Amino acid sequence: MTVDDENEGGAPEPPTYPTPHHEVDHTAEPSDDPLAIRLEQLILGAERRYTPFQAARTAGVSMELASRFWRAMGFADIGQAKALTEADVLALRRLAGLVEAGLLSEPMAVQVARSTGQTTARLAEWQIDSFLEGLTEPPEPGMTRTEVTYPLVELLLPELEEFLIYVWRRQLAAATGRVLVQAADDEEMVDRRLAVGFADLVGFTRLTRRLEEEELGELVEAFETTCADLVAAHGGRLIKTLGDEVLYAADDAGTAAEIALRLIETLSHDETMPALRVGIAFGTVTTRMGDVFGTTVNLASRLTSIAPKDAVLVDGALAEELSRTGEAPVSETEAAEEASRAEKEGRQAATYRFALQPMWQRPVRGLGVVEPWLLTRRPT
């Protein structure tokens, strides 16, 4: 959003606030296509009325702050176009009001705008590319896709809006409960001990050269969908997907280990999928805007890169945590001896979900020498 010159009644031209070239497309202008304008009005529920400068002034905020909010939400500069609505004014007023009331700092308000914009941008792109595109095939010869789109959007919009709010509230409740229950002090609200896992398709780059674009898209979608379902079903959280790789987190080591093995077991039975490798690390993680950062995350990524095909490598901290919680034996030799004694004495031996095998120590770029452990499912 750039400052606009009203040029009404000789009003002076307000100052401009340049945007870094890597953030937005300065050439972007609102569409003048009549159907696009009608669809925009339908979706936004209001007509274009304000220039960026007029919207900022009506909302009672500085143009500089309005520009920061607009860019943070992921929208391009629109020059002097009269393209904003009452909803844009209300959004600016609400964000600025939270800052004025002291409920949010200005940097935090910008983060709220950015995280919301990034998340909903991907959702909107998916809905248009995959959902609406498939539903707007012309039902009769001679009809254009655009003639079908408007009534379809009109019907779907309120239902999708309600569903989005429902899911957001559910996710917010789950995230709040997780953090508040587990955080022993304020520091743990940001820096927490988590298990972080990467799952990576082997040979994906070579695969991209062999498959047609549509086939590749279907493979990636199937991979992401399978991973998302398994991570959620077994109590983890999908942090992000990167085409041939997914990043997930779990509050405890056992959950992360179970998810990793389920991923290997499920995808190895799918003949259309390449081999998979998974790396997991356990330790302090910094969380920000729904993402995770830190040495633990880096280590999980490195372990993934050196993992064998269809195998899971974990770091020493996760192996130790599995042993501490009784989900893996401290020593396979001791576990075998204990099982033998229990059988002779007619009692039930301890049972474990996982087995751990130490691998050769090796240098890992940026992290020094590490000793990975091979994680497998213990036979029942």
Side-chain angles (χ1 to χ4, degrees):
M1 179 186 290
T2 56
V3 178
D4 178 63
D5 176 10
E6 288 187 290
N7 290 327
E8 296 177 5
E13 181 178 346
T16 59
Y17 298 94
T19 307
H21 65 84
H22 60 278
E23 291 189 12
V24 296
D25 176 9
H26 286 273
T27 65
E29 290 289 342
S31 172
D32 292 326
D33 178 78
L35 179 63
I37 292 176
R38 285 183 61 215
L39 281 169
E40 178 189 279
Q41 291 176 355
L42 172 66
I43 294 170
L44 297 179
E47 296 182 357
R48 297 177 179 181
R49 181 175 177 183
Y50 302 101
T51 66
F53 180 67
Q54 291 169 338
R57 188 175 65 178
T58 304
V61 303
S62 70
M63 188 61 225
E64 182 177 13
L65 183 58
S67 297
R68 291 185 66 197
F69 285 153
W70 185 256
R71 295 165 188 165
M73 285 185 283
F75 299 120
D77 287 351
I78 57 175
Q80 300 179 14
K82 183 173 285 190
L84 303 184
T85 71
E86 289 289 350
D88 297 301
V89 172
L90 181 59
L92 289 175
R93 191 176 291 149
R94 280 175 170 162
L95 276 175
L98 292 173
V99 175
E100 291 173 4
L103 296 174
L104 294 177
S105 66
E106 187 173 310
M108 181 60 70
V110 172
Q111 285 187 15
V112 168
R114 179 170 290 112
S115 61
T116 306
Q118 290 176 354
T119 303
T120 53
R122 184 176 182 189
L123 175 63
E125 289 287 347
W126 180 88
Q127 288 175 333
I128 293 300
D129 291 344
S130 302
F131 185 47
L132 291 180
E133 185 174 314
L135 290 176
T136 54
E137 289 294 337
E140 298 178 9
M143 290 189 69
T144 65
R145 185 185 297 275
T146 53
E147 289 173 324
V148 182
T149 300
Y150 189 93
L152 182 64
V153 170
E154 192 173 27
L155 289 171
L156 286 176
L157 186 63
E159 301 301 325
L160 292 177
E161 182 178 19
E162 289 296 325
F163 186 69
L164 174 62
I165 294 172
Y166 156 74
V167 175
W168 171 70
R169 285 181 176 273
R170 267 289 176 189
Q171 293 285 8
L172 189 64
T176 303
R178 271 196 313 267
V179 173
L180 293 182
V181 168
Q182 294 174 1
D185 53 46
D186 290 341
E187 289 185 2
E188 289 189 17
M189 296 287 285
V190 177
D191 297 316
R192 305 161 55 197
R193 284 179 64 79
L194 296 174
V196 177
F198 278 93
D200 176 57
L201 291 176
V202 179
F204 184 76
T205 302
R206 292 192 300 274
L207 200 62
T208 59
R209 303 191 188 104
R210 289 194 291 116
L211 296 180
E212 297 292 334
E213 288 186 5
E214 186 174 347
E215 292 177 309
L216 190 63
E218 291 174 353
L219 184 144
V220 169
E221 183 174 356
F223 171 63
E224 291 184 350
T225 299
T226 300
C227 290
D229 288 348
L230 286 172
V231 169
H234 295 281
R237 297 185 299 285
L238 189 69
I239 303 299
K240 58 187 173 185
T241 60
L242 304 169
D244 62 330
E245 187 176 59
V246 299
L247 169 61
Y248 71 92
D251 295 321
D252 62 89
T255 297
E258 180 66 29
I259 290 170
L261 292 174
R262 292 274 183 172
L263 289 172
I264 296 290
E265 292 161 357
T266 301
L267 293 176
S268 64
H269 286 89
D270 187 340
E271 295 180 355
T272 66
M273 284 289 170
L276 187 71
R277 54 191 177 191
V278 183
I280 317 174
F282 183 77
T284 302
V285 174
T286 298
T287 60
R288 184 173 179 271
M289 291 178 61
D291 209 341
V292 290
F293 307 91
T295 302
T296 302
V297 180
N298 296 338
L299 178 55
S301 177
R302 300 290 189 269
L303 288 171
T304 305
S305 66
I306 63 175
K309 293 180 180 180
D310 289 329
V312 182
L313 287 186
V314 306
D315 72 333
L318 190 128
E320 182 179 345
E321 184 68 9
L322 289 177
S323 298
R324 186 188 69 80
T325 56
E327 295 180 282
V330 176
S331 164
E332 287 293 333
T333 301
E334 292 179 5
E337 292 174 352
E338 169 59 22
S340 177
R341 286 195 297 271
E343 184 178 2
K344 291 177 181 179
E345 296 170 6
R347 57 183 175 82
Q348 182 68 40
T351 57
Y352 304 98
R353 278 205 289 169
F354 309 113
L356 292 164
Q357 176 185 342
M359 307 291 283
W360 292 104
Q361 290 187 352
R362 65 190 72 188
V364 174
R365 180 166 52 88
L367 297 170
V369 177
V370 299
E371 182 182 10
W373 294 70
L374 182 67
L375 174 76
T376 56
R377 192 179 298 284
R378 195 172 177 81
T380 54

